[in-house]
Amino acid sequence: MKKYLLILIMISAMNSKAQFQFAGEIVNHYTQSEFIELKLSNGLFRVYLIDDNLIRFRFISGNEFDQAPSYAVTENISYKTIRLKEDNDYYYFSTSELYIKIRKNPCRVVIEDKNGNVINEDEKSFGMAYEGEDIRCFKKLFKDELFYGLGEKAGNLSRNGSEYTMWNTDHPAFTKTDDPLYQSIPFFIGVRNFKAYGIFLDNTFKSRFNMGASNDRFYWFGAEKGELDYYFIWGPEIKRVISSYTALTGRMTLPPKWALGYQQCKWSYYPESTVRNLANEFRSREIPCDVIYLDIHYMNGYRVFSWDEERFPDPVKMIDDLGKKGFKIITIVDPAVKADIKTEYEIARDGIEKVVFAKYPDGELFLGEVWPSWSYFPDFSKVTTREWWGKLNAGWLTQGIAGIWNDMNEPAIWGQAFPDIVEFDDNGFGANHKKIHNIYALAMAKSTFDGIRKYHPNKRPFILTRAGFSGIQKYAAVWTGDNIANEEHLQLACTMLQSMSLSGLPFVGSDVGGFFEEPSENLYARWIQMGALTPFFRGHTIINTKDQEPWAFGEYVESIAKSAIRLRYSLLPYIYNEFRNSSITGLPVMRPMFLEFQNDSECYKTEANFQYMFGSSMLVAPVIDEKAEFKKLYLPEGRWFDWWSGEVVEGGDWIIVDAPIWKLPIYIREGGVIPLQKAQNYVGEMPVEELAFKILPADEAVYSLYEDDGSTMQFTNNSFSLTEITLNDDGEKVSLYLNTEMKEYQLPYSSYIFELYNMKNILSITMEMNDEVIKLTEDRNGTNSYKYDPEKNVVIIKTDYSDDMKIIINRIND
Ligand code: MIG
């Protein structure tokens, strides 16, 4: 008996060591109200139905599923009962959109649409598998399928033919081919025949995604440990895939409006006089700026939550004074807590007392060396640590600090090898570094976010993070880490931000101008132009490089930078509205062309990845070659107007446009409505009295504009306003109907300006307001008047503010 057992153990040990085990045959099935469970000859498999387009698959080699809660899927999810049917070969069930077939022997998943077209299927011989603790899923590779997503990855926007690793890594001066980088977003999108699905692998261990690298048979994803726990999301719209993915992992909360302004950083601005001078420079040059960052030198010996008292003798006063000029101060906060228990520094002692730091298996505290020298690392997977850290951050903000910048949170450490034996709480379930590494930053950002929400309930948290995992979008904006001031990185900034955007992260940006090295004048000019039309807009550079503020490159470049930043500020009503939409739908602000024009094959071409939609209506075509004075860009079908000339262009083709150094090509889509205001030196400097709209009328178009106080949480109590603009062009006349339906937030305007393009043969304009019909006069200066340029076909109408009005533009009948 004993002998047999020994042989059995030996065989199974040999098996698991030597080769992959594939799922095998389905030997049994159980139907529960929340899932179906299939016992396999090799492993255990569960299928959950969440929605008509959303299914969760969970496969393990053993026989017990993990009880620990997910770090990424935090939204409330309820499962629907699956009505399982079977025939000789398959178990199957359907939703209103999908047909899910699970072959019995061997167990293989096939997903079809309602017409029986295969959307996605397990590789015929491999499917789900494991080798020891390594777990993975092999999917059939279709030759005409394109892959996107996986978050912050360099290289092409399309992920085909490469393998990617998810392991948060501090990778300064990365290149196009380096991987992994700072963030891990194990979610990708597959597009075939213009139809899209997504797969999200909810596994925090080191994972890999091989999108057909080195073979033409399959793509695969898997992790070195844990469960093969993945969600299949059907579109077929890419937008819907992203919406469903963010319904699982969460969406951005509406940031304060100032966080959409320009932000200035450097490693580091100190002492206090330098910070004050910097602020004064911005104001005296009238270059808008909302935020100044303090990098690691503000601290006392890099001790987190401390000040260097020589460099910053009275931080509260400094912050208060700068606040009066409209500046917000954000300080860097790294996770490492200096292991200083001998001086007045209380944080380490307090942390030890509250048992918040990560430990070795023998109970000794882990010490790692990083900026503060030997340090303890808070265990953010523990609820008491999260509360402790949240309170510390909230306390830190009471000095007037506006937001928190989390760096080195991969976690990064000198030597780059955090010992994997270090133990973490894992919400009471216990785990080592292998499981916690990738969610360290996510849990850290969550602590900070929750702390701010708890202790400053009327404040909108603003957190900037370098590392993250799926779900980080709920808590933080993300920047792409330590890039280089060269052309390749300007291009990477364009594509990486689009990739992150597709991966559920709307609030993304790059170090404008480049972190390492020094940009040429042209490179800086091109970068700040593009940066002004990316979601997170911050200039930053490393210690000991040439200055990189907007005026650091001479007068001409300063004027370019200034107008780029001012353009950003005038577009804030539009940009803020796009952020609000994103917080509701999960869709990104910065959009690859194919996200808006999914059925247009041109939009998938590599060249089309160097232009993008900023919000739903604005096409931005950055010049990404330092010396180029023109740009080749693609305008999808329909009419567009050139932002700078007002000229209306028929789309449907590639065009080459002049792009002298001062000009970033921008086009507005037919039916697009772009609200804008006069640029100010900072958000909220003056009440906005006049709101303008640039409009390219379409046969029919609707635009909805959200507005609120921009800074408090009062919008959650309905304190906001929603204005709907409806456009209609019946050939004879263009009518524009504006109606503010929700008005708990009082709009500050006294007048509106409507700037309409492509308006030929205008005869007269009338307006209906407060039951009155007013014929507008052709006099640009008065209100309730208009000015018409019959050469450019532009009409500019100025009206009194009203929450309900209709404008009718009559054309000459010809
Ligand atoms: O080891 O805080 O990516 O933005 O300026 C480098 C100093 C630490 C890396 C960040 C960078 C920041 C720098 N930090």
Side-chain angles (χ1 to χ4, degrees):
M1 191 55 196
K2 257 190 180 164
K3 201 169 134 197
Y4 280 124
L5 208 71
L6 200 70
I7 290 171
L8 254 172
I9 289 169
M10 276 170 65
I11 291 174
S12 67
M14 266 164 60
N15 269 346
S16 63
K17 215 169 122 196
Q19 53 199 246
F20 277 95
Q21 303 292 307
F22 299 98
E25 184 184 352
I26 301 176
V27 292
N28 227 327
H29 80 273
Y30 315 89
T31 310
Q32 306 279 345
S33 63
E34 295 211 314
F35 53 84
I36 51 170
E37 185 167 293
L38 306 167
K39 176 94 193 80
L40 312 180
S41 51
N42 284 323
L44 198 58
F45 185 37
R46 272 189 192 168
V47 183
Y48 303 72
L49 172 62
I50 301 170
D51 224 323
D52 287 333
N53 72 328
L54 194 49
I55 294 149
R56 178 183 182 192
F57 298 98
R58 227 174 150 187
F59 170 72
I60 52 172
S61 59
N63 45 30
E64 238 180 278
F65 286 94
D66 194 358
Q67 299 288 314
S70 166
Y71 286 92
V73 181
T74 50
E75 304 308 301
N76 278 333
I77 289 169
S78 52
Y79 297 109
K80 297 180 178 168
T81 303
I82 293 176
R83 286 181 212 295
L84 197 65
K85 296 181 189 153
E86 71 178 296
D87 59 24
N88 282 344
D89 297 329
Y90 289 93
Y91 288 110
Y92 54 94
F93 66 95
S94 57
T95 76
S96 66
E97 301 177 43
L98 297 172
Y99 195 50
I100 291 92
K101 297 175 13 187
I102 305 167
R103 204 160 96 206
K104 291 180 174 171
N105 190 15
C107 171
R108 295 287 179 268
V109 173
V110 181
I111 301 173
E112 298 174 355
D113 69 13
K114 268 287 146 179
N115 303 321
N117 303 310
V118 174
I119 300 165
N120 181 262
E121 63 179 306
D122 286 355
E123 212 282 341
K124 64 180 188 313
S125 303
F126 309 131
M128 299 179 293
Y130 61 88
E131 191 226 358
E133 292 190 314
D134 198 314
I135 194 139
R136 65 177 67 173
C137 186
F138 294 87
K139 294 283 189 184
K140 177 173 173 176
L141 183 67
F142 292 92
K143 293 215 160 36
D144 52 351
E145 181 164 357
L146 288 166
F147 298 109
Y148 295 99
L150 298 177
E152 184 192 57
K153 297 292 178 194
N156 287 336
L157 189 58
S158 133
R159 304 270 163 247
N160 291 61
S162 295
E163 183 175 302
Y164 299 91
T165 300
M166 297 299 168
W167 186 252
N168 291 358
T169 303
D170 175 9
H171 199 318
F174 56 91
T175 68
K176 236 174 160 171
T177 49
D178 284 330
D179 181 68
L181 303 180
Y182 309 90
Q183 302 245 335
S184 295
I185 312 292
F187 162 67
F188 65 87
I189 298 168
V191 189
R192 192 156 59 95
N193 300 327
F194 303 116
K195 295 190 171 78
Y197 67 88
I199 285 180
F200 166 50
L201 175 64
D202 189 12
N203 180 311
T204 71
F205 288 89
K206 182 183 280 181
S207 60
R208 281 190 288 165
F209 290 77
N210 181 311
M211 312 319 279
S214 313
N215 86 88
D216 64 351
R217 184 169 168 183
F218 48 70
Y219 74 85
W220 63 262
F221 51 90
E224 66 172 24
K225 204 179 165 177
E227 297 183 0
L228 181 76
D229 184 357
Y230 76 92
Y231 294 78
F232 177 87
I233 308 164
W234 172 234
E237 301 82 12
I238 306 173
K239 285 183 177 172
R240 185 164 180 233
V241 175
I242 300 173
S243 255
S244 294
Y245 166 72
T246 54
L248 293 170
T249 58
R251 293 171 181 155
M252 167 180 66
T253 35
L254 191 59
K257 208 174 196 173
W258 56 258
L260 308 188
Y262 178 64
Q263 318 198 11
Q264 185 65 54
C265 191
K266 183 189 172 71
W267 179 9
S268 313
Y269 291 123
Y270 70 93
E272 176 177 329
S273 57
T274 303
V275 180
R276 287 181 183 268
N277 289 341
L278 176 75
N280 291 339
E281 284 296 326
F282 274 105
R283 292 298 176 256
S284 68
R285 292 169 190 271
E286 297 191 310
I287 298 175
C289 179
D290 264 273
V291 183
I292 294 175
Y293 282 75
L294 301 183
D295 204 329
I296 48 178
H297 286 98
Y298 77 85
M299 292 179 269
N300 169 19
Y302 304 126
R303 286 170 185 80
V304 68
F305 305 118
S306 79
W307 290 97
D308 180 313
E309 287 170 13
E310 256 168 52
R311 293 169 182 162
F312 294 96
D314 193 348
V316 171
K317 170 116 185 14
M318 177 190 79
I319 295 166
D320 190 52
D321 288 349
L322 292 174
K324 287 179 188 140
K325 296 183 175 158
F327 286 97
K328 291 95 205 156
I329 298 296
I330 292 179
T331 57
I332 198 166
V333 173
D334 290 352
V337 174
K338 188 177 176 76
D340 170 7
I341 48 174
K342 297 207 178 98
T343 69
E344 281 164 31
Y345 188 57
E346 278 169 28
I347 312 284
R349 272 196 301 271
D350 189 43
I352 293 172
E353 201 175 294
K354 301 217 165 78
V355 201
V356 300
F357 297 126
K359 292 180 185 146
Y360 284 110
D362 65 1
E364 209 169 276
L365 291 185
F366 165 65
L367 281 169
E369 199 184 11
V370 65
W371 286 110
S373 153
W374 295 101
S375 307
Y376 303 124
F377 283 77
D379 175 3
F380 296 111
S381 74
K382 187 175 182 178
V383 66
T384 48
T385 310
R386 289 199 294 270
E387 280 166 3
W388 176 74
W389 189 259
K391 200 171 171 185
L392 280 171
N393 277 279
W396 189 243
L397 290 197
T398 56
Q399 301 171 93
I401 288 161
I404 298 292
W405 171 23
N406 287 157
D407 185 26
M408 307 298 277
N409 50 354
E410 289 72 27
I413 188 172
W414 301 161
Q416 299 291 356
F418 202 108
D420 54 9
I421 55 170
V422 171
E423 291 186 342
F424 292 83
D425 182 69
D426 193 15
N427 292 313
F429 290 86
N432 63 35
H433 185 70
K434 288 184 178 181
K435 180 176 179 190
I436 301 306
H437 179 87
N438 278 342
I439 58 87
Y440 193 78
L442 172 68
M444 180 180 177
K446 177 181 163 57
S447 331
T448 307
F449 185 93
D450 291 348
I452 298 172
R453 291 291 300 116
K454 180 170 171 190
Y455 297 103
H456 303 277
N458 203 23
K459 201 178 174 79
R460 298 187 199 175
F462 176 77
I463 301 167
L464 174 66
T465 182
R466 190 170 72 175
F469 189 77
S470 291
I472 191 69
Q473 67 270 11
K474 282 177 294 213
Y475 311 118
V478 173
W479 97 103
T480 53
D482 299 343
N483 59 5
I484 310 173
N486 63 27
E487 210 175 64
E488 178 179 279
H489 271 271
L490 172 62
Q491 296 167 6
L492 280 175
C494 183
T495 50
M496 285 172 76
L497 300 186
Q498 290 181 67
S499 179
M500 292 157 87
S501 295
L502 283 172
S503 311
L505 312 177
F507 205 174
V508 291
S510 66
D511 281 352
V512 168
F515 182 70
F516 285 102
E517 300 176 21
E518 292 163 2
S520 67
E521 290 171 15
N522 274 19
L523 187 73
Y524 178 79
R526 290 311 190 185
W527 209 320
I528 200 151
Q529 280 171 346
M530 180 178 86
L533 299 180
T534 61
F536 175 66
F537 182 28
R538 185 184 75 155
H540 185 33
T541 184
I542 195 176
I543 191 167
N544 292 336
T545 46
K546 191 172 155 305
D547 285 350
Q548 214 165 287
E549 292 80 33
W551 51 85
F553 299 86
E555 262 175 49
Y556 188 55
V557 176
E558 178 179 343
S559 72
I560 291 169
K562 182 172 173 173
S563 38
I565 299 174
R566 286 178 64 86
L567 173 65
R568 164 90 175 194
Y569 275 74
S570 63
L571 283 169
L572 280 177
Y574 173 71
I575 300 171
Y576 188 59
N577 197 43
E578 294 294 328
F579 268 74
R580 196 270 179 165
N581 289 341
S582 178
S583 74
I584 305 276
T585 63
L587 294 179
V589 175
M590 183 166 171
R591 305 178 175 184
M593 293 305 296
F594 56 75
L595 186 59
E596 281 299 321
F597 303 93
Q598 188 169 330
N599 295 323
D600 186 337
S601 56
E602 294 300 309
C603 291
Y604 295 83
K605 290 192 170 159
T606 305
E607 205 170 358
N609 298 337
F610 296 105
Q611 61 182 71
Y612 56 88
M613 300 296 292
F614 193 51
S616 53
S617 302
M618 177 178 276
L619 187 155
V620 177
V623 177
I624 43 147
D625 304 310
E626 226 172 308
K627 300 212 173 86
E629 295 250 309
F630 62 87
K631 170 86 182 179
K632 183 175 169 198
L633 63 101
Y634 178 67
L635 288 180
E637 228 159 272
R639 280 191 202 118
W640 299 80
F641 81 84
D642 178 324
W643 182 264
W644 304 108
S645 70
E647 190 196 341
V648 173
V649 191
E650 260 323 310
D653 215 342
W654 290 85
I655 55 172
I656 294 176
V657 299
D658 266 344
I661 188 73
W662 59 266
K663 181 175 158 191
L664 165 68
I666 300 172
Y667 290 85
I668 306 301
R669 180 180 184 172
E670 185 170 355
V673 175
I674 311 286
L676 64 171
Q677 67 188 44
K678 284 210 181 81
Q680 304 189 352
N681 287 310
Y682 56 90
V683 170
E685 183 187 20
M686 290 168 288
V688 180
E689 281 172 7
E690 197 170 77
L691 190 71
F693 298 92
K694 282 186 189 272
I695 300 172
L696 178 58
D699 292 350
E700 260 169 279
V702 187
Y703 179 75
S704 174
L705 178 64
Y706 169 89
E707 289 161 286
D708 65 13
D709 67 23
S711 65
T712 73
M713 292 301 291
Q714 288 312 309
F715 70 97
T716 56
N717 302 323
N718 280 335
S719 177
F720 60 84
S721 80
L722 269 183
T723 301
E724 200 156 275
I725 293 178
T726 315
L727 280 164
N728 188 286
D729 185 352
D730 67 6
E732 266 174 44
K733 59 182 189 311
V734 175
S735 43
L736 190 157
Y737 180 51
L738 178 147
N739 180 251
T740 304
E741 316 155 26
M742 308 278 306
K743 26 194 161 181
E744 294 225 9
Y745 165 70
Q746 288 286 313
L747 293 173
Y749 313 125
S750 55
S751 56
Y752 279 136
I753 291 186
F754 303 94
E755 204 170 300
L756 292 97
Y757 292 79
N758 201 35
M759 301 298 289
K760 292 182 193 125
N761 306 330
I762 300 309
L763 179 66
S764 66
I765 301 181
T766 56
M767 178 169 83
E768 284 168 35
M769 199 193 261
N770 309 325
D771 295 325
E772 257 186 276
V773 180
I774 306 166
K775 189 162 186 291
L776 300 187
T777 55
E778 202 173 348
D779 153 27
R780 168 82 166 99
N781 298 319
T783 44
N784 300 336
S785 67
Y786 73 95
K787 190 179 174 182
Y788 180 42
D789 180 340
E791 258 161 48
K792 288 194 162 174
N793 297 316
V794 179
V795 184
I796 299 173
I797 303 166
K798 185 168 179 175
T799 72
D800 288 329
Y801 168 80
S802 164
D803 58 23
D804 190 22
M805 68 166 98
K806 191 170 182 179
I807 297 174
I808 308 221
I809 305 163
N810 298 298
R811 290 210 171 96
I812 298 165
N813 262 339
D814 52 9

